[in-house]
Amino acid sequence: MIDFSEFSRLESLTTTHPGSFKTDTGQDLTVSAIAPGVFRLRFGPQTKPDYKLLLAPLPSLPLKANQKDNIFSLRAGTNARLEVIQNPLRLRLFQRNRLILESILDEHFRGWTRLPCFGHNKNQWTAAFALTEGEAVYGLGEKFSSLNRRNQLVVSRAEDALGVNTELSYKNIPFCWSPRGWGVFVHTPGRVTHGVGYPQWSHRSYGLVVDDEALDLFLFAADAPAEILNALTSLTGRPAVPPPWSLGVWVSRAYYQTADQALAIAREIRDRRIPCDVLTLDGRAWLEVKTRFAFEWDASRYPDPKATLSQIKAQHFKVCCWEYPLVSIHNPLFEELAKKGWLLKTESGEAYRYAWDVDPKSSPFGSVLTPLPVSGIFDFTHPEAYGWWQDQHKALFEVGVDVMKTDFGEQVPDDAVAHNGDTGERLHNVYPLLYNACVFEAMAKHGKEPIVWGRDGWTGSQRYPVQWGGDPQSDWGGLAASIRGGLSWGLSGVPCYATDVGGFYGKEQPNAELYLRWVAQGIFSSHFRFHGIGLREPWHFGPDAEVMARQLLEFRYRLIPYIHAVLKDAAQTGLPAMRAMPLAFPQDKIAHGFDTQYMFGPSLLVAPITAPGGQVDIWLPDGLWYDIWTGEPYEGAGLLTIEDIPLDRIPVFGREGTVLSLGPVVQHTGEINPKRPIEECWIFGAPKEDAIPSPGYKITHRQFGRKAPRR
């Protein structure tokens, strides 16, 4: 680690503000109570743009500091207490008088802590907390390895990860939590480096380094992880509820080469009765790569885009079009925007020219996706530019586009300069948030149901659904990592996630077994999309695979009333649709090790198959569970091994006391009667009070639980 000037003690308490202190180095520390169980600690000045990462105005609670000897005791509500120890400077966080988090305890033989409790170095800050033996830590955005961040060095920085195989990721949130009942959120647009029990720093400590002018920390104390996510999203924004049609199947390919090919796919999907709602025209599908992005159709392939889109929409499809926030230097729009000052600049004031890998042999995009042109980067910090980008979508919406795939956004260089005065180093992480917010708001502004299909994210991204996990490798490892990425994103307070079903890239195309296992997992996600380099429509994997994929997708459509209810609940609580075991069962430590198993909403436990052969080990937590396909009851807690699982099945268990509301089998969401979306309720055991919906019309009920459970 870099050397930091450590704040070793507090010199004084400002009597007029109970939570205001001064350190021995002259730095001010301000502690406030934001809500029950939520404390805010701030060091240093805050003069730079904050990008509205927090809702304004923040709530607040009266704060009283009681001093006894060397300790100041502060409360946030009746259950949470923060102790600030004066000399040496330390923190202790309590929930219901139980110590749940404290400053670093790892002391060097020579007498100092191995990491500073709090420290400062130029434009970096550090803080360090103790971890108990074996304590797990979760969150920190979309990460693809084990969900438990313990022993990992994690960097919160938006990256074009070019896969799901490393620590690099597209969506990052500097927020983590422990089943012990604490959470830590860093309010910053800057890069944050987290050493979570990282042995090279301290295997028994959580140390973080923040690249920003100030250190602004939120500490959460709660009885359950769900309460921590609730508190986080109450501060950073509640999730928006995506429109019901978005819960249907999206189909895409990199890419449909002509308008006729896209239209032929739409017609074939309907002819083969593959349920589907959205057809995506990916980047090269509707644009000329050399001159993109300028909201211009490639006239050589789309001489009349409105007519083409009308034919696609006549097949009952929504149309999604691709965009990214860069403008080619080969398009006259580049010079126009540069003169207006609407592109990010160099330090000398010229429009920044972002150069991709220009050698086709080394380009990550290869010959299939075409090396990309040198481009300017749009500046979303400029208010006039922001409004202009929004309004350019109007013409697309008028010809029939329904939603935009907001790709990329990680390209802001550290030495770029923005209109608001920030450098690219500070803008880099928050840029995807501004970009997706702009397009999301453009839809509402121009009469569309707001939604985006975005790749990148930061604090607050839950306000602008949906995010998908970019570019997994088309193999079993890519499937498993994609599941973990979605669960990790959910553990960070974001409810919506989808993957590229079938995988995005690979030397070989996925075989039918991998493809169907990916389809089966995907139907138990908030959103579902086929996508990749190569063929992804079901009929390309053989007639048997087509039949099985159709059956799985039909069940996906039956799930839509349930999924919609889950996402409406997420808008109130911040709970994700896919709930990893540590979130769903925080007290069941054995369950936490099952990284690709999850609860889908409150009722269903899903155990995806992530290896060839059709076998999976499942941990059933305490209680009764019912196989939704056979009705067989099982008693937890216990390990269940299932072998030879058919390709048209995925292990899914209904939780006793819950209900699964199902709709009809349809070809698209336009066939669902919005006044009667529920056709049948599956009741698992004795339902809890008010678990069965009462929509005012007759529903068929299927009761599970008549057999003696297996142990």
Side-chain angles (χ1 to χ4, degrees):
M1 284 188 69
I2 301 171
D3 289 333
F4 289 88
S5 299
E6 183 172 11
F7 313 143
S8 60
R9 65 183 184 275
L10 298 179
E11 291 292 328
S12 62
L13 169 69
T14 304
T15 56
T16 55
H17 299 285
S20 296
F21 304 88
K22 190 171 290 294
T23 70
D24 54 324
T25 63
Q27 292 285 352
D28 292 329
L29 165 62
T30 302
V31 182
S32 54
I34 303 302
V38 183
F39 294 95
R40 186 181 192 181
L41 290 78
R42 287 181 284 177
F43 284 99
Q46 294 179 306
T47 63
K48 296 181 179 180
D50 66 2
Y51 297 103
K52 300 180 180 178
L53 299 180
L54 302 175
L55 299 182
L58 281 181
S60 63
L61 293 178
L63 185 69
K64 292 183 179 181
N66 298 318
Q67 183 178 4
K68 183 177 181 180
D69 299 328
N70 194 32
I71 300 174
F72 297 94
S73 182
L74 307 101
R75 285 195 172 273
T78 58
N79 296 326
R81 183 175 88 254
L82 180 68
E83 290 185 350
V84 182
I85 302 172
Q86 188 172 11
N87 186 17
L89 172 57
R90 295 289 184 269
L91 301 178
R92 291 200 297 239
L93 181 63
F94 294 83
Q95 173 70 359
R96 301 186 189 276
N97 294 319
R98 180 174 60 89
L99 179 64
I100 58 173
L101 181 68
E102 61 183 317
S103 294
I104 181 171
L105 298 174
D106 178 2
E107 293 184 352
H108 193 278
F109 175 78
R110 293 177 177 173
W112 56 79
T113 55
R114 209 169 296 273
L115 306 174
C117 173
F118 291 102
H120 183 227
N121 183 303
K122 295 181 181 179
N123 287 322
Q124 286 187 314
W125 299 80
T126 187
F129 301 93
L131 297 175
T132 60
E133 186 66 23
E135 180 176 5
V137 178
Y138 299 97
L140 298 181
E142 173 198 54
K143 299 294 178 179
F144 305 108
S145 63
S146 61
L147 298 180
N148 183 0
R149 302 284 163 243
R150 189 71 180 257
N151 304 322
Q152 297 182 22
L153 183 70
V154 179
V155 180
S156 296
R157 179 176 166 87
E159 299 284 0
D160 188 348
L162 299 174
V164 296
N165 302 331
T166 71
E167 186 274 332
L168 301 179
S169 63
Y170 310 89
K171 295 172 277 296
N172 297 264
I173 296 177
F175 159 76
C176 62
W177 56 268
S178 163
R180 288 188 72 202
W182 61 262
V184 174
F185 164 58
V186 187
H187 173 222
T188 180
R191 173 170 51 194
V192 183
T193 304
H194 312 260
V196 190
Y198 179 57
Q200 283 80 346
W201 290 6
S202 167
H203 69 77
R204 53 181 290 186
S205 308
Y206 165 40
L208 54 89
V209 178
V210 182
D211 296 0
D212 206 351
E213 64 170 349
L215 178 62
D216 192 0
L217 292 180
F218 287 78
L219 303 182
F220 300 91
D223 294 330
E227 296 176 14
I228 299 176
L229 296 188
N230 189 1
L232 174 73
T233 55
S234 71
L235 300 179
T236 61
R238 294 299 194 189
V241 180
W245 58 260
S246 74
L247 307 181
V249 173
W250 301 48
V251 65
S252 180
R253 193 194 294 175
Y255 56 101
Y256 297 128
Q257 298 185 12
T258 65
D260 287 343
Q261 185 184 48
L263 181 57
I265 290 294
R267 288 171 173 160
E268 189 158 8
I269 287 172
R270 293 294 176 235
D271 289 344
R272 291 178 178 268
R273 298 193 63 76
I274 305 294
C276 192
D277 262 83
V278 184
L279 186 141
T280 300
L281 301 177
D282 209 55
R284 195 173 168 185
W286 72 285
L287 300 161
E288 169 55 52
V289 174
K290 184 178 180 180
T291 58
R292 78 182 190 191
F293 180 78
F295 299 92
E296 299 170 343
W297 294 84
D298 181 355
S300 67
R301 290 178 295 155
Y302 287 84
D304 188 349
K306 185 172 184 178
T308 300
L309 266 59
S310 294
Q311 294 181 72
I312 294 174
K313 294 169 76 68
Q315 302 294 320
H316 303 286
F317 283 94
K318 302 284 186 181
V319 176
C320 175
C321 279
W322 181 100
E323 69 175 285
Y324 74 167
L326 297 101
V327 178
S328 169
I329 61 171
H330 303 296
N331 195 303
L333 182 61
F334 172 83
E335 292 296 338
E336 179 184 334
L337 297 178
K339 288 179 181 178
K340 291 182 176 181
W342 290 1
L343 301 175
L344 295 182
K345 299 181 178 65
T346 64
E347 293 179 353
S348 62
E350 299 177 347
Y352 204 109
R353 296 179 177 228
Y354 183 85
W356 306 80
D357 296 327
V358 294
D359 183 355
K361 293 182 180 179
S362 64
S363 170
F365 304 102
S367 58
V368 175
L369 298 180
T370 308
L372 302 176
V374 175
S375 302
I377 307 172
F378 198 76
D379 189 350
F380 290 102
T381 74
H382 195 301
E384 292 181 23
Y386 190 96
W388 179 88
W389 191 271
Q390 284 186 335
D391 290 341
Q392 294 309 296
H393 290 83
K394 182 179 180 181
L396 297 179
F397 298 152
E398 288 176 344
V399 300
V401 175
D402 298 285
V403 58
M404 301 301 295
K405 174 183 173 180
T406 48
D407 208 351
F408 290 83
E410 318 95 343
Q411 284 65 45
V412 176
D414 286 352
D415 59 346
V417 179
H419 171 76
N420 68 354
D422 251 349
T423 64
E425 184 177 15
R426 195 168 186 274
L427 177 65
H428 179 95
N429 281 329
V430 78
Y431 185 87
L433 184 73
L434 303 179
Y435 166 38
N436 282 281
C438 180
V439 181
F440 186 89
E441 293 164 1
M443 298 196 66
K445 183 177 182 180
H446 297 295
K448 293 288 185 178
E449 295 176 284
I451 183 177
V452 294
W453 191 271
R455 185 170 80 172
D456 296 342
W458 189 250
T459 300
S461 284
Q462 67 275 5
R463 307 174 208 162
Y464 314 115
V466 174
Q467 292 81 36
W468 99 94
D471 305 343
Q473 191 169 334
S474 298
D475 60 12
W476 293 97
L479 168 59
S482 294
I483 298 169
R484 290 192 296 267
L487 294 176
S488 179
W489 192 229
L491 291 171
S492 307
V494 188
C496 293
Y497 195 81
T499 71
D500 289 343
V501 172
F504 183 73
Y505 73 94
K507 292 183 178 179
E508 297 180 358
Q509 291 295 298
N511 60 28
E513 181 185 11
L514 172 62
Y515 179 81
L516 287 168
R517 297 304 191 197
W518 215 315
V519 171
Q521 185 278 320
I523 68 173
F524 294 96
S525 306
S526 79
H527 288 76
F528 182 106
R529 184 186 66 158
F530 292 112
H531 187 58
I533 299 174
L535 307 175
R536 289 294 181 270
E537 298 80 17
W539 56 87
H540 297 296
F541 296 86
D544 292 340
E546 179 184 354
V547 170
M548 288 183 277
R550 181 187 300 111
Q551 293 171 347
L552 289 166
L553 297 177
E554 287 174 347
F555 192 74
R556 165 72 187 190
Y557 275 77
R558 298 205 68 195
L559 284 168
I560 285 179
Y562 175 75
I563 300 171
H564 193 229
V566 168
L567 295 182
K568 286 195 293 185
D569 180 68
Q572 303 297 320
T573 65
L575 279 175
M578 297 167 58
R579 304 170 186 177
M581 292 291 100
L583 175 60
F585 303 97
Q587 305 305 319
D588 189 340
K589 293 184 179 181
I590 296 178
H592 299 179
F594 288 75
D595 266 5
T596 57
Q597 174 181 307
Y598 58 93
M599 289 294 295
F600 187 52
S603 301
L604 302 179
L605 188 150
V606 182
I609 300 160
T610 58
Q615 176 177 320
V616 65
D617 291 330
I618 304 165
W619 178 259
L620 293 178
D622 191 34
L624 283 177
W625 299 87
Y626 299 89
D627 185 320
I628 70 166
W629 311 115
T630 67
E632 189 79 17
Y634 293 85
E635 186 174 346
L639 182 67
L640 176 64
T641 298
I642 304 180
E643 300 178 344
D644 300 323
I645 301 167
L647 288 174
D648 61 349
R649 291 285 175 88
I650 177 174
V652 182
F653 298 85
R655 188 176 191 176
E656 183 185 29
T658 66
V659 174
L660 178 64
S661 299
L662 297 173
V665 174
V666 296
Q667 291 299 294
H668 55 85
T669 56
E671 294 181 344
I672 298 174
N673 183 347
K675 296 181 179 179
R676 299 188 61 176
I678 301 173
E679 180 181 76
E680 187 176 11
C681 286
W682 291 2
I683 305 170
F684 303 115
K688 296 179 181 178
E689 186 177 356
D690 298 327
I692 301 176
S694 302
Y697 55 88
K698 186 177 180 180
I699 301 175
T700 301
H701 293 152
R702 179 184 173 189
Q703 184 76 47
F704 290 71
R706 295 188 177 92
K707 303 176 184 177
R710 292 175 56 180
R711 296 180 180 272

